[in-house]
């Protein structure tokens, strides 16, 4: 039983590195750039600049794309979930 936990911990390592490198660090960089200026001083100017019409257009376009991709993912995933349900595939078949 203990070797199974060790095996799962080893398998989780690459995912943790991937999540850190491609999710957490980029998000922290975005927050840093949003809250600082060229001299690394704290400012809210970058956040208030979103209200500028040029930036607002890009923000609305990004939100539209995000909404569309979310709806598409739901529409594509729902038939797959229904197929899994009909084939009686549950979590126990995916566990190592």
């Amino acid at each position: 039983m203990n070797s199974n936990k060790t095996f799962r911990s080893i398998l989780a390592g690459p995912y943790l590195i991937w999540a850190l490198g491609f999710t957490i660090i980029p998000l922290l960089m975005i927050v840093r750039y949003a809250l600082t200026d060229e001299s690394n001083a704290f400012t809210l100017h970058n956040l208030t600049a979103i209200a500028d019409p040029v930036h607002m257009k890009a923000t609305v376009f990004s939100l539209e794309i995000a909404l569309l991709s979310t709806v598409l993912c739901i529409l594509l995933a729902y038939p797959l979930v229904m197929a899994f349900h009909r084939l009686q595939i549950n979590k126990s078949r995916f566990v190592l």
Side-chain angles (χ1 to χ4, degrees):
M1 182 70 107
N2 191 18
S3 65
N4 195 14
K5 279 189 171 184
T6 305
F7 181 67
R8 287 184 182 188
S9 297
I10 291 171
L11 287 179
Y15 171 73
L16 292 174
I17 293 169
W18 183 89
L20 184 68
F22 293 105
T23 306
I24 296 168
I25 291 173
L27 284 174
L28 291 174
M29 290 174 62
I30 290 170
V31 169
R32 178 180 172 261
Y33 287 129
L35 297 176
T36 60
D37 59 8
E38 294 85 14
S39 63
N40 288 330
F42 177 77
T43 182
L44 292 176
H45 177 71
N46 296 335
L47 294 178
T48 58
I50 292 174
D52 187 16
V54 173
H55 299 291
M56 186 59 77
K57 183 178 178 183
T59 302
V60 170
F61 183 66
S62 296
L63 291 174
E64 288 172 348
I65 290 175
L67 179 66
L68 178 66
S69 64
T70 301
V71 169
L72 284 175
C73 286
I74 290 171
L75 290 175
L76 291 174
Y78 189 76
L80 183 64
V81 170
M82 293 304 296
F84 281 176
H85 179 71
R86 287 186 190 193
L87 294 173
Q88 297 178 346
I89 297 175
N90 55 20
K91 288 192 302 188
S92 64
R93 291 203 180 174
F94 291 103
V95 177
L96 292 175

